[in-house]
Amino acid sequence: MSGGLRYIGVAERRARLGVRHRLAGAARAAGPVEVAESLVALHGTDPATVYLAVGARLAEPAKTVGQTERALYEDRALVRMHGMRHTVFVFPTHLTAVVHASTGLAVAARERATLVKAMATAGAPDAAWLAEVEESTLAALARRGPATAAELAEDEPRLRERFVYGAGKSYEGVHTVSTRLLRVLGVEGKVVRGQPLGSWTSSQFRWAVAPDHPELDVSGAQAELLRRWLAVCGPATEADLKWWTGWKVTEVRRALGAIGAQAVSLDEGTGYVVDGDVGPVAEPAEPWAALLPALDPTAMGWQRREWYLAPELWPSLFDRSGNVGPTVWWNGRVVGGWAQRGDGEIVWRLLEDLGGVERRAVQAAVAVEAERLRGWVGAARVTPRFRTPLERELSA
């Protein structure tokens, strides 16, 4: 105990991660919905990440692609939408209202204001014109069903209008109204990203009308989202929570109070767990290895990562914007990275300085996971959207 708070050390945090993130062998899930429910959110900016994150956590990964596509596009049990930090994630569909109210509303207001201002600066049509185009676009999407921006522009030609976005800025460029408007509608929870064009690795996608959901109280939705995440990723510090949610620290503290979170002592300071989760957690019965994709929710789950990812490994595993690449895990910590070569081979490298006995055990376990991954990925070729030094080197 430290200052009356129970101390939760690195070993126990790694044990929690292995079980609650569905990575330890006995904890692996039966299907993608179970994975998403367990993790709350799967990073969806890179479409392949969703499938690779699911496959790493399934007891039978051969079913990854079919089950995930069915959950996303047939059963609609999962939905790809904007969420925390203005980033695209895949959530269980029943969390749509919680995500929208807790994180989307404030971002949406800023995004629409930014778009209207940018169009005015460029001499493009005004907010009233934009509202007409929006209404027409949503009506076309409702009639057509899932559609690309180009298909929607056949029904609403004003979507093809061009204007200079970010004039004078480093990101200045000529954008179509469709590019910016559909992005805003996504953040506002009116449209979501639908089935991609081509295979599951494609980054070209259709838009779809967002599932109906009630309008929730912001504070209540924030409390619910934080409770769900903390149950999976706790203990976590205020800094972790602020980073993951993208909220103000006052909002984080209000949500912590609302759910009755309990404080614990961590190596980096005070952390929090959900009420009743202070007790010790046993380590998984068997050692485990995992090959997780770029932007995996486990690797990106916390702002402070020293307890599972040594700082000296960061230059090899992250890009300049802080996006993590493919990682190799052993018993709750990152020990290396991996990549897929053009012929489909899964190659990997250990970066941790492991002892001889442990190194041999890790090599054997990782080899099994690499073969497991290659088996279900099959003929697909996966190149991360955000490439990192080690991934580039290994895939060459």
Side-chain angles (χ1 to χ4, degrees):
M1 304 288 284
S2 175
L5 301 179
R6 178 173 180 267
Y7 170 70
I8 298 181
V10 167
E12 186 176 337
R13 296 182 76 179
R14 292 174 177 174
R16 286 171 176 249
L17 181 154
V19 174
R20 297 181 183 184
H21 286 232
R22 300 285 189 173
L23 295 170
R28 285 179 173 162
V33 176
E34 189 176 355
V35 172
E37 290 282 1
S38 296
L39 294 171
V40 182
L42 303 171
H43 206 295
T45 303
D46 187 335
T49 292
V50 177
Y51 292 82
L52 293 168
V54 168
R57 294 169 169 88
L58 292 187
E60 298 182 40
K63 301 178 180 180
T64 298
V65 175
Q67 287 187 344
T68 305
E69 288 182 334
R70 186 160 56 251
L72 280 166
Y73 310 122
E74 296 178 25
D75 301 339
R76 300 291 180 177
L78 300 177
V79 61
R80 181 182 281 112
M81 61 181 285
H82 278 86
M84 300 74 64
R85 307 187 308 281
H86 196 182
T87 300
V88 178
F89 289 90
V90 167
F91 299 94
T93 301
H94 65 81
L95 287 182
T96 300
V98 170
V99 174
H100 177 61
S102 65
T103 69
L105 291 176
V107 174
R110 292 197 300 270
E111 280 293 303
R112 182 170 286 274
T114 298
L115 175 58
V116 170
K117 181 179 179 180
M119 291 180 65
T121 300
D126 61 14
W129 180 91
L130 189 66
E132 288 182 8
V133 176
E134 173 188 340
E135 183 178 358
S136 174
T137 300
L138 290 173
L141 192 59
R143 287 194 305 270
R144 278 181 173 268
T148 65
E151 289 169 340
L152 291 172
E154 294 174 7
D155 296 335
E156 176 44 90
R158 288 177 291 184
L159 287 171
R160 300 192 185 103
E161 290 277 345
R162 294 176 177 270
F163 67 99
V164 177
Y165 186 87
K169 307 290 186 181
S170 60
Y171 51 83
E172 176 182 336
V174 177
H175 289 227
T176 60
V177 169
S178 66
T179 300
R180 306 307 308 183
L181 179 58
L182 287 168
R183 179 182 177 89
V184 169
L185 295 178
V187 178
E188 291 178 338
K190 296 176 181 176
V191 300
V192 296
R193 301 192 183 207
Q195 192 162 10
L197 303 177
S199 75
W200 58 274
T201 63
S202 173
S203 59
Q204 294 182 301
F205 55 89
R206 300 173 177 87
W207 292 96
V209 175
D212 291 333
H213 60 80
E215 294 297 327
L216 301 181
D217 168 73
V218 172
S219 296
Q222 288 180 332
E224 177 62 12
L225 184 67
L226 186 139
R227 181 189 67 78
R228 287 177 177 270
W229 185 82
L230 204 57
V232 177
C233 293
T237 65
E238 274 189 3
D240 292 326
L241 294 164
K242 182 178 181 295
W243 176 83
W244 188 82
T245 59
W247 303 340
K248 299 175 182 177
V249 69
T250 52
E251 294 175 303
V252 169
R253 290 172 179 171
R254 183 181 63 201
L256 284 170
I259 67 170
Q262 294 182 263
V264 295
S265 174
L266 306 176
D267 289 333
E268 62 265 44
T270 301
Y272 296 90
V273 295
V274 293
D275 187 26
D277 194 28
V278 174
V281 174
E283 292 187 7
E286 300 291 338
W288 59 271
L291 271 59
L292 300 186
L295 298 175
D296 187 86
T298 299
M300 294 289 289
W302 296 263
Q303 184 185 50
R304 292 289 300 271
R305 300 166 182 153
E306 295 89 341
W307 59 275
Y308 65 89
L309 203 166
E312 56 267 26
L313 273 57
W314 293 18
S316 297
L317 297 175
F318 286 80
D319 72 4
R320 293 180 179 178
S321 298
N323 300 301
V324 72
T327 48
V328 175
W329 291 68
W330 174 247
N331 289 338
R333 74 184 195 274
V334 176
V335 295
W338 65 274
Q340 184 190 40
R341 289 185 174 154
D343 62 0
E345 182 185 4
I346 305 298
V347 292
W348 46 276
R349 180 182 299 166
L350 298 182
L351 300 175
E352 280 270 7
D353 185 15
L354 304 170
V357 175
E358 184 179 24
R359 188 177 188 85
R360 288 191 292 274
V362 173
Q363 288 174 327
V366 173
V368 170
E369 291 303 309
E371 188 57 34
R372 186 172 180 265
L373 174 59
R374 179 169 184 170
W376 75 258
V377 167
R381 297 294 175 264
V382 181
T383 301
R385 181 172 177 178
F386 304 105
R387 305 195 69 184
T388 53
L390 182 61
E391 186 276 328
R392 286 182 181 275
E393 181 184 345
L394 290 176
S395 62

